[in-house]
């Protein structure tokens, strides 16, 4: 796995975004049986202002969000509740899974509001973003069930409790 972490907001240095991204990516790929590939993932740690611009540009939503993902390939399942396609290198040998952006303020605020450790919430959002790169989604109910189940399974292996359990 090749992980490229770009820090646009220096607060991510103190939060050790690179370490969390590596742990989340390795655990997610291993759980899905993809750990032996030379998969490439880019993660940008930014703030709410930057992610709001990206969210407006790519999703037509004029607000900050916690995490955004741009898959390199459309792996999504055609049929609700089916698993996505497996990623493959393209004809040039490119193994990029895609790009993720994560916003510091939103991540910090959500963790505090939910009474969760910041590092646990950060890891959850990274796993969530990586699953999006791999074609998982939560728009349709059947797909959301699969994606959330995978998130819980990966996080459990990392010693992080179910993020969907309300305290």
């Amino acid at each position: 796995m090749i992980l490229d972490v770009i820090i646009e907001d220096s607060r991510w240095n103190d939060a050790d975004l690179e370490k969390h991204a590596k742990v989340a990516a390795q655990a997610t790929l291993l759980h899905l049986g993809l750990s032996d590939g030379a998969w490439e993932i880019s993660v940008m740690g930014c703030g709410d202002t930057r992610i709001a611009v990206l969210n407006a540009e790519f999703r037509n939503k004029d607000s900050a969000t916690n995490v955004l993902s741009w898959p390199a390939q459309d792996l999504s399942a055609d049929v609700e509740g089916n698993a996505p396609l497996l990623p493959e290198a393209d004809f040039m040998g490119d193994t990029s899974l895609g790009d993720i952006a994560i916003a510091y303020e939103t991540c910090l605020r959500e963790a505090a509001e939910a009474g969760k450790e910041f590092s646990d919430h950060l890891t959850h959002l990274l796993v969530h973003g990586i699953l999006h790169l791999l074609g998982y989604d939560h728009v349709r109910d059947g797909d959301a069930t699969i994606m959330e189940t995978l998130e819980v399974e990966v996080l459990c292996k990392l010693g992080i409790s179910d993020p969907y359990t309300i305290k």
Side-chain angles (χ1 to χ4, degrees), residues 11-61:
R11 293 173 291 183
W12 283 116
N13 289 320
D14 293 335
D16 207 354
L17 177 60
E18 187 163 358
K19 179 191 92 172
H20 285 87
K22 184 175 183 176
V23 166
Q26 287 176 335
T28 304
L29 295 173
L30 178 64
H31 187 73
L32 295 172
L34 298 170
S35 61
D36 59 348
W39 308 113
E40 300 173 37
I41 299 171
S42 294
V43 177
M44 178 180 66
C46 60
D48 277 2
T49 302
R50 174 76 161 123
I51 211 160
V53 169
L54 294 169
N55 204 19
E57 183 178 344
F58 291 99
R59 296 180 64 224
N60 294 318
K61 294 189 177 189

Side-chain angles (χ1 to χ4, degrees), residues 86-160:
L86 293 174
E88 296 179 2
D90 69 13
F91 69 96
M92 296 291 291
D94 184 10
T95 57
S96 176
L97 294 178
D99 305 323
I100 295 170
I102 188 161
Y104 187 84
E105 295 98 332
T106 298
C107 185
L108 184 66
R109 185 188 78 255
E110 289 175 346
E113 288 172 352
K116 297 178 180 180
E117 292 292 325
F118 176 76
S119 64
D120 290 352
H121 187 55
L122 170 57
T123 302
H124 174 218
L125 292 176
L126 290 165
V127 168
H128 183 88
I130 293 162
L131 287 172
H132 274 307
L133 297 183
L134 293 166
Y136 292 91
D137 206 348
H138 45 83
V139 174
R140 303 178 296 193
D141 290 343
D143 298 333
T145 298
I146 291 172
M147 185 172 183
E148 290 172 9
T149 298
L150 286 171
E151 289 174 28
V152 171
E153 290 171 353
V154 171
L155 294 170
C156 181
K157 288 181 179 179
L158 295 172
I160 299 172

